[in-house]
Amino acid sequence: MKILHTSDWHFGHLLYGYDRLGEHRSFVEQLINLTASEQPDAILVSGDIFDTGMPSVPAQQLYTEALIGLHNASPHTMTVITAGNHDSPSRLEVYRRVWAAHNVNVIGTLGRTHNGEIDWQRHILPVADKGYVVALPHIYQQNYPVAESADRLSAFYRNLQAKVEILNVNNLPIILMAHTAVHGCNLAGHRRMQEDSIGSIEYIDLETFGTVYDYIALGHIHHPQTLQGETTARYSGSPVAVSFDENYEHSVTIATIERGKKPKITTHVIDTQHPLLTIPSSPQPFEQALEALSNIDNNCEAYIRLNVLSNNGLPADYNERITLSITGKKCRYCTTNITRLETEHNELKQSTLTPDEFKQLNVGDVAKQYLDSKGIDLELQQRFIKMIAETGKKLSNED
């Protein structure tokens, strides 16, 4: 079975106020062309289709155009869409039955029968006579079904594996889709998720999924990577960079899967005319950083983050001087990253945020910085921020 695996599209994303619609449209065109040439048996989109639970009309229109374009490029290909933590599960499923007519399966929520039991078959999708795709949306750990054992995650995946094995009488390849963070994954690019202590990320052990799967198609982490255990798991990564810290190639994955063998994995790099650049590459005093910015090629269409080394913040007229330095250029200035030199410890540390950077923070980020400034010990910080994160999840679940 051949699959095209992608995730974390984040349609509707705004980068410091800049609309990314053109870049996402370019990605969709490349994805459609790749589908036409590869003719995969299945296209798997493992969550975070949109950047917010209430995407803009243009973002929703692009989503529709993408699915129709993929279907036209390869009518026999089954597409499976699962909800990520950025998506609204209920909104994603509104037109679920309509999409089914175009060979598109949308899984926004954990399905249940009329008596409240898990509807396992809703998530186990046959791919013609090629194999099975087991499609799971993002599930917060407290939303897994209550089990007799204390470990409800392990109980859930054991039951799921048993159901899959019963259906797979012809010993065909089986793929699991999941939108989650796996222990040991590379979080490069996820500045907000680097420290487990902030309570903004939930991990799962790779072994918890079970060993019946020939490939696990993961979403949630933006850095493309393969995790190898008894089962091969892969993050396809985000096709379009979401932050300046995602300073690596962005791609989609093609995997050819045979039962009981390691998948053959290749990547297809997504081209972009608007890279995210940090200028200069290492922090420099403001005047030197500004000079580096003024020397950027006039036709470079990159988004720019200015990288400044300073113990005294920025000049009062920094914004005007930055604007003047890029007048007539095609680049797009976004923000300034300030690093201060700690003379006592002789090491570089992140300092005061600019207003633009502050706008990008979530509630947990703000709370952690405030608690740090007050000298609150780490254990109390973890408890407090975990409470904030759980409150946010409850509000998200209510949607």
Side-chain angles (χ1 to χ4, degrees):
M1 176 164 56
K2 181 195 284 188
I3 64 165
L4 193 164
H5 170 205
T6 178
S7 70
D8 296 274
W9 291 357
H10 287 276
F11 286 176
H13 177 243
L14 298 177
L15 183 69
Y16 296 93
Y18 291 108
D19 192 338
R20 315 292 300 284
L21 184 66
E23 296 155 80
H24 285 133
R25 189 176 298 281
S26 174
F27 155 65
V28 167
E29 291 172 356
Q30 294 176 63
L31 188 66
I32 291 172
N33 291 335
L34 182 62
T35 299
S37 62
E38 292 288 340
Q39 294 290 300
D41 297 303
I43 298 171
L44 310 183
V45 190
S46 300
D48 281 356
I49 313 304
F50 298 107
D51 194 55
T52 69
M54 298 184 67
S56 65
V57 170
Q60 293 180 68
Q61 289 174 333
L62 182 58
Y63 169 67
T64 300
E65 292 168 10
L67 295 189
I68 292 175
L70 292 171
H71 177 69
N72 291 338
S74 182
H76 79 277
T77 299
M78 182 177 80
T79 298
V80 185
I81 307 284
T82 58
N85 59 303
H86 279 252
D87 299 311
S88 166
S90 57
R91 289 177 185 274
L92 206 61
E93 285 200 345
V94 166
Y95 299 109
R96 182 168 176 265
R97 293 188 177 183
V98 175
W99 283 122
H102 292 80
N103 208 11
V104 178
N105 293 271
V106 180
I107 307 293
T109 60
L110 192 59
R112 294 183 181 273
T113 62
H114 294 299
N115 60 6
E117 299 295 326
I118 298 298
D119 185 0
W120 299 103
Q121 291 194 357
R122 181 175 187 262
H123 298 276
I124 304 173
L125 308 171
V127 185
D129 58 349
K130 300 287 186 175
Y132 292 89
V133 170
V134 182
L136 296 178
H138 175 75
I139 309 171
Y140 288 111
Q141 293 189 3
Q142 73 270 19
N143 290 339
Y144 280 92
V146 176
E148 293 182 5
S149 63
D151 190 350
R152 58 171 66 184
L153 272 72
S154 294
F156 174 85
Y157 286 104
R158 281 197 306 270
N159 288 335
L160 179 60
Q161 177 168 303
K163 301 296 182 183
V164 175
E165 289 181 305
I166 291 172
L167 289 175
N168 190 24
V169 293
N170 292 323
N171 199 32
L172 298 173
I174 305 173
I175 299 167
L176 174 68
M177 296 175 68
H179 188 91
T180 188
V182 174
H183 276 294
C185 66
N186 186 343
L187 292 176
H190 290 271
R191 179 182 290 186
R192 298 175 185 173
M193 299 167 68
Q194 291 292 335
E195 298 181 16
D196 192 16
S197 62
I198 67 174
S200 63
I201 185 170
E202 295 178 339
Y203 290 94
I204 187 171
D205 292 322
L206 184 57
E207 294 75 17
T208 301
F209 292 123
T211 58
V212 72
Y213 307 105
D214 298 284
Y215 181 90
I216 300 179
L218 295 170
H220 192 35
I221 305 304
H222 293 180
H223 192 294
Q225 58 193 285
T226 300
L227 306 175
Q228 195 66 59
E230 289 190 56
T231 297
T232 297
R234 180 165 175 82
Y235 287 103
S236 61
S238 54
V240 176
V242 175
S243 77
F244 283 94
D245 297 312
E246 295 181 23
N247 54 350
Y248 39 75
E249 282 188 334
H250 294 259
S251 59
V252 298
T253 297
I254 301 290
T256 302
I257 302 158
E258 293 185 53
R259 185 64 172 160
K261 297 182 180 180
K262 284 190 177 182
K264 296 177 181 178
I265 296 172
T266 60
T267 58
H268 181 87
V269 175
I270 300 301
D271 295 325
T272 178
Q273 293 182 332
H274 302 283
L276 277 62
L277 300 180
T278 298
I279 304 292
S281 57
S282 60
Q284 301 294 329
F286 179 76
E287 297 299 333
Q288 286 92 319
L290 193 64
E291 182 179 0
L293 177 59
S294 65
N295 289 333
I296 194 170
D297 188 278
N298 287 348
N299 293 318
C300 176
E301 298 183 8
Y303 296 100
I304 302 297
R305 176 174 67 176
L306 197 63
N307 206 8
V308 173
L309 177 66
S310 174
N311 280 341
N312 303 309
L314 297 171
D317 61 346
Y318 82 95
N319 212 18
E320 292 82 354
R321 294 179 64 185
I322 290 172
T323 301
L324 183 62
S325 73
I326 60 174
T327 300
K329 299 180 183 293
K330 292 184 178 180
C331 64
R332 304 171 180 181
Y333 167 72
C334 292
T335 187
T336 297
N337 182 63
I338 304 176
T339 304
R340 74 171 185 267
L341 182 63
E342 286 285 347
T343 54
E344 291 185 10
H345 302 93
N346 194 31
E347 62 181 9
L348 296 176
K349 288 190 175 180
Q350 183 78 16
S351 183
T352 306
L353 296 168
T354 65
D356 285 335
E357 290 175 320
F358 182 79
K359 293 176 183 177
Q360 299 296 308
L361 299 179
N362 60 29
V363 175
D365 297 328
V366 175
K368 187 175 190 305
Q369 293 205 14
Y370 175 78
L371 296 172
D372 280 339
S373 71
K374 297 300 181 182
I376 305 298
D377 67 73
L378 183 59
E379 182 179 354
L380 285 176
Q381 284 194 33
Q382 291 174 336
R383 291 168 58 188
F384 180 69
I385 298 177
K386 185 177 181 180
M387 180 179 67
I388 291 177
E390 289 176 349
T391 300
K393 291 171 188 174
K394 289 179 182 178
L395 292 174
S396 176
N397 292 337
E398 289 175 2
D399 178 66

